Amino acid sequence: MIQSKADYLRYLEADRKAHKITLKRPKLFGYHEWKFQRLMRKLEYINNCKKDNILFKPIYYCLKFRYKRKQLKLGFTIPINVFGEGLNIAHVGTIVVNPNCVVGKNCRIHVCVNIGGTDNNVPKIGDNVYIGPGAKIFGSIQIADGIAIGANAVVNKSFLERSTTIVGSPARVVSKRK
């Protein structure tokens, strides 16, 4: 979670590197996912560090409005303060995430992914996780570091062994990687 200006800048840099982009700032056209993530990180920074400051209230509400509009345009329902640094959203399209979820660093997420549950019965996902297109992850479960979740997998139980590949409905381990 972003707690300072240094954290904010580190998150931006990690997200840029995750997208393998050499530019420091996005061009006018293209890079929709990266632009969305930059806006998300800025909103997280203002929300976590500056929201109580009366001078930043208008900026906060303006960013929140822009963020909601961008979510509608791109098809994302991603709340702030869920993803760690190094997030890589691969494509524009439907992505739904519960606001109580916790996702670690360097996560790559594809289109048509649902991560959620009810109340606090939500997944906790580790670092360096790949989530393939159409994956559904729900319930009070844990996903270990380095796991690859295949396309259209339905994950409703915990996988605590690191560096494995899980696929299927319901999900099961198909291979272990080094």
Side-chain angles (χ1 to χ4, degrees):
M1 185 183 304
I2 297 173
Q3 296 296 331
S4 67
K5 178 92 174 192
D7 288 347
Y8 168 62
L9 295 173
R10 190 180 75 241
Y11 273 60
L12 285 178
E13 183 64 17
D15 290 350
R16 184 183 66 78
K17 286 181 179 176
H19 280 278
K20 295 181 175 67
I21 295 174
T22 57
L23 303 170
K24 290 291 181 187
R25 295 184 186 267
K27 292 182 180 178
L28 186 59
F29 298 105
Y31 300 115
H32 300 293
E33 302 85 2
W34 185 38
K35 287 179 184 176
F36 171 79
Q37 286 179 227
R38 288 174 55 92
L39 181 60
M40 179 177 73
R41 298 305 186 190
K42 190 170 195 172
L43 183 60
E44 287 174 351
Y45 170 65
I46 298 293
N47 182 63
N48 298 343
C49 302
K50 306 283 188 182
K51 187 178 177 185
D52 296 331
N53 187 333
I54 191 78
L55 298 174
F56 283 94
K57 287 275 188 195
I59 295 170
Y60 170 75
Y61 288 114
C62 180
L63 285 174
K64 195 170 182 180
F65 174 76
R66 285 180 50 210
Y67 186 69
K68 291 290 184 187
R69 198 171 65 187
K70 189 76 103 170
Q71 282 184 324
L72 288 172
K73 180 181 176 185
L74 300 177
F76 301 152
T77 306
I78 300 175
I80 60 173
N81 296 321
V82 171
F83 289 95
E85 61 188 87
L87 172 64
N88 184 345
I89 299 174
H91 304 287
V92 172
T94 308
I95 298 174
V96 180
V97 181
N98 186 301
N100 297 325
C101 291
V102 177
V103 181
K105 298 186 296 186
N106 302 320
C107 177
R108 181 172 171 89
I109 188 167
H110 282 267
V111 70
C112 294
V113 170
N114 289 328
I115 304 172
T118 56
D119 300 324
N120 287 328
N121 297 326
V122 294
K124 290 182 179 32
I125 300 173
D127 299 338
N128 303 312
V129 173
Y130 170 87
I131 303 173
K136 310 297 182 256
I137 306 167
F138 60 90
S140 183
I141 62 172
Q142 289 187 346
I143 305 295
D145 297 343
I147 287 186
I149 300 171
N152 296 317
V154 177
V155 184
N156 59 358
K157 65 180 181 179
S158 294
F159 289 91
L160 303 175
E161 189 174 345
R162 304 175 100 191
S163 300
T164 58
T165 302
I166 57 177
V167 297
S169 174
R172 64 191 181 287
V173 176
V174 293
S175 70
K176 296 176 176 43
R177 297 174 312 210
K178 292 183 180 178

